Every structure is written in structure tokens, then in C-alpha cells.
Amino acid sequence: MSKPVEHDYIGLSELTSVEKCSDRNNSKKDGLHLKATELRLGLPGSESPEREDHDPGVLSLKGFVSGAKRGFSDALDRGGKWVFSRGGAGGSEGLFSPRSSGNGGKGLAGSDAGLGSPVVKDGGLQKQAVVLQEKKPQVAAGGGHRNEISPASKAQVVGWPPIRSFRKNSMASHPPKNDDDNDAETKMGSGCLYVKVSMDGAPYLRKVDLKTYGSYTELSSALEKMFSCFTIGQYGSHGVPSRDGLSESRLMDLLHGSEYVLTYEDKDGDWMLVGDVPWEMFTNSCKRLRIMKSSDAIGLAPRAMEKCKNRN
Amino acid sequence: MDSEWKRFRDSPNSEELTRRSSFPDEVLERVLSLLNSHKDRSSVSLVCKDWYNAERWSRTHVFIGNCYSVSPEIVARRFPNIRSVTLKGKPRFSDFNLVPENWGADIHAWLVVFVVKYPFLEELRLKRMVISDESLEFLSVSFPNFKSLSLLSCDGFSTNGLAAIATHCKNLTELDIQENGIDDRGGSWLSCFPESFTSLEVLNFANLASDVNFDVLERLVSRCKSLRVLKVNQSISLEQLQRLLAHAPQLTELGTGSFSQQLTSHQDEELKTAFSNCKNIHTLSGLWDVKAIYLPTLYPACANLTFLNLSYAALQGGELAKLLVHCPQLRRLWVLDTVEDKGLEAVGLNCPLLEELRVFPIDPYGEEIAHEVTEAGFIAVSNGCRRLHYVLYFCRQMTNAAVETVVRNCPNFTHFRLCIMIPGRPDYTTNEPMDEAFGAVVKTCTKLQRLSVSGLLTDLTFEYIGKYAKNLETLSVAFAGSSDWGMQCVLEGCPKLRKLEIRDCPFGNKALLSGLEKYESMRSLWMSACNLTLNGCRALAREMPRLNVEVMKEDGSDESHADKVYVYRTVAGPRRDAPPSVLTL
């Protein structure tokens, strides 16, 4: 691809089709901040169905951009269940019948570039996330819900991988609890889910109950209200017009002006961009929130500046 | 030892000597009674008739690797003085649900013979056998000297059977219940040990789920002064663990319960003290639901730790790293892949004496691949742990180059079990088969005894195995190979092969029949989802009457197709307890 793939403020390229990119440009010109919101609190997939088809060329490029050595075939295979689903719902063991097993691996790896797979796409998305935080690329489990392969993908080969039933059942019925020695109370179903929210530069933290919100939009508004008092006298230094006094819209401008990024710490202790995964999954794994200065996020500021300039 | 006897046997005077019995039988038996290895004993028994007899009278422990290779009557006839029996039953792939439920391997027929021939039986160790509650009760009341019961991967029983053992075995020293298909009906079995009972040395109920009565357990532990192995289950909390440790600082092997209770700082201190009083612990396991912040309490007990089993403890890389710093003597480590490559780097850095590493997947079906280890972790371990000779590694990606590096670093592998969990997965960087990886393994690791292969493999892998793996005894193959030729290479090339298990490979009758001569020198062959037909199996059975050829049919499969085939040598003839779905040809 000769034209550089457009990146949003966080360094994640707009995926897949050129059409998608131009959509974004249009919406920015309209000033529809929500759609093109730098904060990206909306669920990316839900707003942009065209993400589902992807161009293998782009995927490879992403692999290149993120520095991962993995090729397309790897991205395909990473899903694991995608491999199994090739056999169709009618008995995955058929896929691995002796007649095809010799070629099975190769065939899967090489020849199916055209088969769009959300699982693959997610893999790509997460690889970009490597730019922001050094986390191993992971297949977003949310891929499961967006995965149109689902019933067949769950078909498993009998007795594979070779793990004793006892061990499988143990891990299944006692999913290991993750280290929760921070202050997040993560008991499910207890009715509230308070997490700390910090904002860079603010003198104190706040706590929010994630259960009281149903979506990223609600959370985002609530946070904006909460933290607007901390933005007195601060400019977006990237050309956002200054306003008199404090106001929610000022904070919104700041947030959308990409001076700040909303991130969260998940169960594994990694800092993630808010908005990538389905809301439910987010609330299940979020331990604390941090409204981070864009300049703290790697590779962020310059692109954000570009974005703002483009907008204005 | 072997060569000395051979020299003795072959020397011109040996026959004379034995005839003149310069070793009276009693002396010979006394000497031979010091032999423990059953392989040595087999060699001894082949020297001459006198030695055969002296050996059989002096043998007290018999190991039977396939319960159908011999009958209890034959065993009893040959060995009159047995006190300890180890029996293995079902083919190994039964662990992965590939063997029909009612296939066989029931212990009862053996017990019935033992009660007559070995009334003073003391020890029974079973693996992949079926044992019912009735059998357990029978065992507990029929053998007054019974001391030691160990069950691994067995099924057919419930906690009621354990209750019978606890109630009746007055001299019990060992109750070792490992990963079994047990019907857990509650923890009341533990309360069946009488208050007067004090002989227990080994108690392992780690893999039973139900709560036990803690007071009963605590009293049991405190009165069994010889207790050296204690592995409790998840129902035991940290606070309770501390109390148990206070009663039993002499423990050498400890399996903790749940490691995640909220402790006050005082309790934390007490636990740390309890651990520091346990100066003899060399094996540690359990750590269910581990919360890393409590790991420091056990650091004081880790100085002499040689085996750390974290395969049920979902630790992250950094948490493992901190723990390993305190375990300088570690020889064996089992972990979950939650530790990721980062954790394995820490292993490489902190465990220079490591000999065995097993990495299990926390999420084998890949529903939510949040954690995994890759080839990088494998290399990292091999860089730091040059004494590594046993590895079991579950991963989703591997490269030929990485495996080559690993075996270059660690050429002494005796057990190399690599499981690339995605069937038929090639080297993900080159897209080539993994043939060269396993080629490197067999070329470099001349002492290799056990090999499990995976990934995309052609016949070339098996050519390499047949050509180089001269000490190979056990080979496991899945979703691999291109043609009959692959299997033929192995059968022709590996002189010491004893167990061959194959699933989902393109090997057919030609390959099967090429091993005609070989199977009698092997313990067993398993082939499932390959290209075998009933006719091929019949041909094998016809040619080799001393083999049992069993075919298990799947519902709805092609009539002539032999879905699952199990071939094993036997002196007991075809078995009579096979269910209808198993045809013995």
C-alpha cells in the first residue's frame, strides 16, 4: 500500500477498507465528535460494520507496523477455533481425517486469504495495541461474540489437546481468580463495581460504580462531569479554541482534542485503551481507570495534532 | 551388572558352578532380594534356572505395565511372595476420552486371586484401572497387613470406597488419591479413620473437591507423628493450613489448599512462621486460587525445594519470578502458561539446576487466549537450564529454529514432549513442516527415551526418528505423517520401542503389518482414526497368535473401518471381559 494507513490519535490504524477511512474523514468534517471521537469510548465494531471484511494486505501491513514477525497464516491460526471451524459444523474430526491431515495445516495456512474472519481482525487490532502498551497480542475474547463462525468454531477435536479430563474440569470449574489486591471490588452480582478513577494532574482520585452505566457513552459523560473541575485554565494546546470559564464542553473538547486518553487497568495488570471490547467484558475486567495525558501514550501526540489540524 | 552376569554365564565354569551350588539358595535369594529395579530382576531371571528360581522367590514387588499381558494366576504361580503390586490398565489415550467407558481393566479379578495367594499383600498402586467401591471394601477387609493404596487416573469408585479403606485398614501408611474419575460424595470418608489410628505417613486427597471436617483432619495430622506427605484439597484455607503445619513441621511433601484467604497481618505472620519451621519440605504443590501477595509466606520453606508443582496455580510471570528467587535447588517445575514467556525467562535465570519442566495450558480450547507461552520462552529456559532433560510443553506456535536451539543448549533430553495445540500447525515463521525440529531432537539427544511430536509433520520426521532415535521407548503421534512409509520407518528403525500410540494419521494396513515381528517386543500399539480396516487387523491377529488385537468400533462408522485398534502382547490369551463394542480378533 503506497498511501500510509491513517491512524487515529492512539496510533491504531483505521482498519481495513479505504471506504472506512473516508467515512472517518467525512464525519470529522461534520464535527461529529462522537463517531470520530478520539476517546473511542464507543464500541468500534458496533459502529462500523464494514470492519468485518478485511483486506489481507492491510493485515499484513499491520503486522509490519507493529513489528510483529507474524504473518497472515499465523493470524489465521491464532484463533485456534477458526482452524477447527474449517471443517464445518458437521464433525470437526472430519477435518483431521487422515486423508486431509497431511495437507490440512498447509491448506489452512496458505490458501484462505480471502476468508474474512473477525477473530483474525481482532488479532490485528490487538497487535496495534502493542504500540500503546507492551502487551502480548491477544485475541480479544470479544471476538467470540462478533465471530460469525461461532457454532462450528466451538467444535473441538475429541481428546485434543491431550490434557487429562481431571485437569480440564478443574480449570473449568475453578477458573483461577486473578490477583485483586487493588481496591476494585470485583465480586460479580454484588450490585456495585467501584473502581478508582485518576486523572493525570488532578490532586485527588474519584471512584465510580461501573454498574451504574450501561455503555461507554454514559461512562464518558459521567467522567467528563466529574473531572471538569480539574480542567480550569487548561488549554488544549493543539489548536482547540479556548473558552472562558469552565464547562463540560470544554472538557469534552479537551478529551476530543486528544489531550487526554481514557485507559483502564485490566485483570492482568495491563493498561488498555477504553472502548475496544464490549461493555460487559470491559466491566468484568476493569480494575481502575486513568485519564491519561496523551503525551504519556507512546506515539500519540503527533498524530493527535495532525488529527486536530485536519479537523480545523 | 548385566555384563558381569553374561560373563559369568558364558564362562566355561559357570555351569559347573551352578550345579555345585556354591551359592546356596538362601544366600542367592538374600543377595537378590536387594535388587529393586524390575528391569534388573528380569535380567537376573534369564541367567539360569537357579537364578530364575532364586529371583522369583525373593521378589516382593511386581510391576505389570499392561494388566492384560498376563493373568493374576500366572503371576501368582511365578511369584509366591509378593507384598506389593503395581498395575497399569487402560491405554494411555483413555486419559483423553478416546477409550470407551466400559473397556475393561477392572481390578477385581486380581483381588480375588490375591486374597488367596497373597493374603499378606501390603501395597497396591494402580494406574488407569477400574476399581469399584465394592472392590475397595473387599480390599480393606481381606488384607490385614494392607498399608499402601495409590490410585492415579482410575475410575469406578466413590468416596464411599475411601471410607471403607479408612475404616478397616488398621495399618494404613499411605492413601494417595491422585487425579481420578472419582464420584465425590462428600468428605466424610476422612472421619472414618479411628481415633486410635496413628500410622499414616502419606495422605493425598488434593484432587477431591468436597469439604472435609477440619477438626478431624487436624487431629489426624497431629497424632500421626510419621506423616511426611500431606496434600490437602481446596477446601482447606490458609489459616487452616497454618494449623496443620504447626502440627507437622516434619513434612517433606506439602500440597496446600486454597491460597487466597484474606489474612490479617497477624495470621500472615503466623503462616510465615509455620512455613519457616518446615525445614524438610522438598516438594510443594496445590496453591489453588493462588493470590500472589501471600506467596512470600512460603518463601522460608523453599530453601530445599526440589519439586514445585504450580500446575493448578495461575501465576503470572512476574509473580513466578519473585517466587523462583527463593528456590535455588529446584529440579522439577510444573507451571501453567499464565506465566508466559516472561515467567519462563525467570526460570532460565533462577533455576540452573532444573531438570524437568512441564508447562500446561490454562485454556486448552483457546476460547479466550489471554495467556500463552511461545518458542521464545522455550529458548529462554534452555539457555539457563542446561541440565534440562524432561520437558512437556504446550504451546500454539513453534519454529524449527527454536527447537534446534533448545536441543543444542540441552542435548541430554530423555523425555521430549512438545504439544503444538493446533493440529497440523507448521513453523509459523517459515510455513514449513516441523520435521527439522524433531529431526534435531533425535539427532542431538541420543539418550531420548520418550518423544511426543506435534505440528505439521511429513514422513521425513519419522525417517529421522527411525534413523536416529535408537533409545526411544515411547512415541506419541497425532495428526502427522504423509503415508505408510512414516510408520514403517519407526517400526523398522527403533530397536527399543515399547509403546507406540498414534491418532489421526494416514497410516494404513501396510504400515500396521510391517510391524508384525516387532509387536511382540513391544508392550502395546494404539492406532485410532487412521486408515486401518478390519481385514488388516484380522491379518495381524492371524499371523501373531501371541498378540491380542482389539478393535473398537464407533457408532455409525463404515463397517470395514477399524476406528480404534489396540494391539498388545500377552501370555494370557484373548481376554474374556471385553464389552461388545470391543472385538478381539
Side-chain angles (χ1 to χ4, degrees), chain A residues 5-21 23-24 35-37 40-56 58-59 62 115-126 128 146 148 273 275-277 307:
Chain A
V5 180
E6 176 156 288
H7 290 272
D8 68 11
Y9 75 114
I10 204 140
L12 288 160
S13 68
E14 291 316 315
L15 277 181
T16 68
S17 57
V18 175
E19 179 193 2
K20 175 78 178 65
C21 292
D23 265 354
R24 286 232 156 202
K35 181 133 186 169
T37 178
R40 297 215 3 202
L41 295 181
L43 189 58
S46 61
E47 286 167 18
S48 43
E50 61 270 28
R51 277 170 180 266
E52 305 295 333
D53 23 272
H54 77 280
D55 173 14
V58 176
L59 190 64
K62 261 195 285 304
L115 198 70
S117 159
V119 173
V120 175
K121 189 270 305 169
D122 283 346
L125 191 69
Q126 290 300 334
Q128 284 305 326
R146 275 178 277 174
E148 59 242 3
L273 175 70
D276 285 340
V277 300
K307 267 264 153 79

Side-chain angles (χ1 to χ4, degrees), chain A:
Chain A
M1 285 178 64
S2 50
K3 161 179 155 187
V5 180
E6 176 156 288
H7 290 272
D8 68 11
Y9 75 114
I10 204 140
L12 288 160
S13 68
E14 291 316 315
L15 277 181
T16 68
S17 57
V18 175
E19 179 193 2
K20 175 78 178 65
C21 292
S22 56
D23 265 354
R24 286 232 156 202
N25 285 333
N26 289 338
S27 57
K28 276 189 292 276
K29 288 190 185 112
D30 296 342
L32 270 176
H33 295 291
L34 205 56
K35 181 133 186 169
T37 178
E38 314 294 5
L39 213 48
R40 297 215 3 202
L41 295 181
L43 189 58
S46 61
E47 286 167 18
S48 43
E50 61 270 28
R51 277 170 180 266
E52 305 295 333
D53 23 272
H54 77 280
D55 173 14
V58 176
L59 190 64
S60 310
L61 179 65
K62 261 195 285 304
F64 176 75
V65 167
S66 71
K69 285 206 195 108
R70 292 141 198 210
F72 180 68
S73 61
D74 168 77
L76 273 184
D77 287 343
R78 275 185 83 68
K81 55 192 170 200
W82 188 88
V83 172
F84 295 161
S85 73
R86 281 275 293 130
S92 53
E93 266 202 278
L95 172 64
F96 301 106
S97 68
R99 298 154 253 324
S100 62
S101 68
N103 296 323
K106 277 204 161 91
L108 290 166
S111 63
D112 296 292
L115 198 70
S117 159
V119 173
V120 175
K121 189 270 305 169
D122 283 346
L125 191 69
Q126 290 300 334
K127 283 180 187 132
Q128 284 305 326
V130 171
V131 174
L132 177 61
Q133 64 265 342
E134 275 125 17
K135 182 172 166 66
K136 240 186 159 43
Q138 70 180 41
V139 175
H145 102 284
R146 275 178 277 174
N147 188 348
E148 59 242 3
I149 312 174
S150 32
S153 72
K154 303 246 190 277
Q156 290 148 6
V157 179
V158 173
W160 190 264
I163 310 254
R164 281 205 185 120
S165 317
F166 177 85
R167 177 175 288 282
K168 279 187 319 223
N169 297 339
S170 278
M171 298 315 325
S173 59
H174 295 279
K177 298 192 195 95
N178 287 288
D179 197 358
D180 62 343
D181 60 342
N182 60 25
D183 288 348
E185 289 152 29
T186 55
K187 291 194 183 64
M188 300 322 300
S190 66
C192 57
L193 198 61
Y194 278 98
V195 298
K196 282 186 192 169
V197 189
S198 60
M199 178 166 174
D200 287 3
Y204 54 83
L205 279 59
R206 302 295 305 270
K207 260 202 164 166
V208 294
D209 180 355
L210 290 180
K211 288 264 192 238
T212 61
Y213 312 113
S215 70
Y216 286 116
T217 324
E218 289 176 30
L219 174 66
S220 143
S221 325
L223 289 178
E224 282 149 9
K225 286 191 177 73
M226 244 187 209
F227 285 93
S228 54
C229 56
F230 295 133
T231 58
I232 301 168
Q234 290 187 37
Y235 282 85
S237 53
H238 304 300
V240 176
S242 62
R243 298 203 188 169
D244 295 329
L246 53 94
S247 67
E248 291 162 22
S249 54
R250 158 62 92 74
L251 179 66
M252 238 164 148
D253 281 343
L254 284 172
L255 289 175
H256 299 149
S258 71
E259 184 171 6
Y260 290 95
V261 172
L262 185 58
T263 62
Y264 71 101
E265 183 182 28
D266 73 357
K267 276 185 200 163
D268 304 315
D270 297 296
W271 286 94
M272 315 285 288
L273 175 70
V274 168
D276 285 340
V277 300
W279 173 254
E280 298 292 20
M281 180 172 305
F282 165 70
T283 56
N284 282 349
S285 58
C286 172
K287 297 281 180 167
R288 54 189 304 167
L289 287 158
R290 178 176 165 199
I291 304 175
M292 192 190 273
K293 273 194 171 13
S294 308
S295 49
D296 284 347
I298 306 158
L300 213 71
R303 292 189 188 91
M305 275 172 75
E306 273 169 27
K307 267 264 153 79
C308 293
K309 284 177 186 146
N310 287 341
R311 246 191 300 143
N312 302 324

Side-chain angles (χ1 to χ4, degrees), chain B residues 344-358:
Chain B
L344 295 181
E345 280 163 33
V347 173
L349 287 172
N350 290 298
C351 306
L353 301 177
L354 199 70
E355 297 174 16
E356 174 179 328
L357 174 70
R358 302 195 194 195

Side-chain angles (χ1 to χ4, degrees), chain A residues 73-74 77-78 96 98-99 105 141 154 156-160 162-168 176 180-181 268, chain B residues 95-97 153 179 207 291 293 311-312 314 361-362 365 367-369 372 421-422 424-425 479 503 529 531:
Chain A
S73 61
D74 168 77
D77 287 343
R78 275 185 83 68
F96 301 106
R99 298 154 253 324
K154 303 246 190 277
Q156 290 148 6
V157 179
V158 173
W160 190 264
I163 310 254
R164 281 205 185 120
S165 317
F166 177 85
R167 177 175 288 282
K168 279 187 319 223
D180 62 343
D181 60 342
D268 304 315
Chain B
D95 283 351
F96 319 128
N97 301 328
S153 270
E179 300 172 348
N207 298 128
K291 278 227 193 81
I293 52 167
S311 63
Y312 290 101
I362 192 166
Y365 299 121
E367 295 292 335
E368 254 190 61
I369 307 171
E372 60 176 4
M421 288 189 276
I422 301 168
R425 179 125 207 235
F479 306 105
R503 62 165 293 178
N531 286 346

